[in-house]
Amino acid sequence: MHAPKILLSALIVGLSTAAVAAPETYKLDPSHTAITWHVDHFGFSTPSGKFMNVEGSVILDEEEPESSSVNVTIPVSMVNTGVPKLDEHLKGTDFFDVATYPTAEFKSTKVTLTGDDTAEVEGTLTMHGVTQTITLDVVLNKLGKNIFDKQTAGFSASTVLKRSDFGITTYLPGLGDEIEIEIESEANL
C-alpha cells in the first residue's frame, strides 16, 4: 500500500523539479532596440537623438528575477539626431569624441523588483572614458513567442543622467546637463 504513495510522491517531486526554468540568455534585437535621449537646448526646446544597432544580451531568470542581468554595447559613433551636421558635431571632441570612444557599455550589477513586471536595474555605464553607476527603471512589456515563433522579451526603460559626470561639459550650463534617456528593446532566444 505504501509503494503507490511513494511512487506518486516521487512523480510529483520530479514534475515540480522539471518545471523550474533555468536562466535563459536573450540576445538584443538591434533592429528593435533604440536608446533615445533628450536634452534642454538653452531653454528654447528639448531636442533628441537616438542610438540604434545596440548589441548585447539579457540573462533572464524567471524563477529568481533578481538574478537576471544585462550587458549592452552602444555604438555612440552612430548617433542620429536626424540632422547630419549636428551628428558630426556630436561625434567630435566637444561631445562624444567617437574617434577615441566609439562605444559605451552598460553592465548591470543589481536587479531589484519593484512590482510584478517592473524593476530597478543598477549597473555601470562606461561612456567617454568614464564609468559611473546608474539605475534604470525597467518594465517587462511582454514575454512570449513573436510572429516568427521566437521566444521574445520586450522591455521599456528610462533614466536621467548628467553628461558632466562623464566629462562632457561643452556649453554648460546653457545646454542642459541632465539627459533624459528612454529605451525600447526586444531580445530573442
Side-chain angles (χ1 to χ4, degrees):
M1 292 279 182
H2 294 292
K5 285 184 180 179
I6 292 171
L7 287 173
L8 182 59
S9 295
L11 180 61
I12 290 170
V13 169
L15 288 175
S16 64
T17 303
V20 175
E24 295 182 295
T25 301
Y26 288 75
K27 184 177 176 187
L28 291 184
D29 178 350
S31 62
H32 292 99
T33 299
I35 299 172
T36 304
W37 50 265
H38 308 273
V39 62
D40 176 45
H41 188 253
F42 299 90
F44 295 108
S45 64
T46 308
S48 62
K50 190 177 282 193
F51 300 111
M52 298 289 293
N53 299 309
V54 176
E55 295 181 354
S57 62
V58 176
I59 297 175
L60 188 57
D61 190 332
E62 291 184 61
E63 297 297 319
E64 293 182 37
E66 299 89 350
S67 297
S68 298
S69 63
V70 61
N71 187 350
V72 176
T73 300
I74 305 154
V76 178
S77 61
M78 297 178 71
V79 64
N80 184 353
T81 63
V83 181
K85 193 169 183 173
L86 177 56
D87 293 347
E88 287 307 311
H89 188 200
L90 292 173
K91 291 176 187 180
T93 56
D94 283 347
F95 292 98
F96 293 117
D97 190 7
V98 301
T100 307
Y101 311 107
T103 62
E105 278 194 20
F106 176 78
K107 294 181 180 182
S108 66
T109 55
K110 181 179 178 184
V111 175
T112 304
L113 296 182
T114 56
D116 290 341
D117 295 322
T118 59
E120 289 182 347
V121 177
E122 186 176 304
T124 57
L125 176 63
T126 301
M127 179 174 64
H128 201 249
V130 178
T131 300
Q132 295 286 338
T133 298
I134 67 167
T135 302
L136 301 173
D137 293 314
V138 180
V139 177
L140 172 63
N141 297 322
K142 185 175 180 180
L143 184 61
K145 297 279 186 179
N146 67 21
I147 62 170
F148 301 109
D149 205 32
K150 284 185 180 179
Q151 183 67 11
T152 300
F155 301 92
S156 296
S158 62
T159 193
V160 175
L161 56 86
K162 288 188 175 185
R163 64 187 179 98
S164 61
D165 288 346
F166 296 90
I168 303 172
T169 58
T170 300
Y171 304 136
L172 283 177
L175 184 62
D177 194 17
E178 289 192 348
I179 309 296
E180 295 178 21
I181 307 288
E182 297 171 356
I183 302 165
E184 292 295 328
S185 182
E186 292 182 22
N188 304 308
L189 280 181

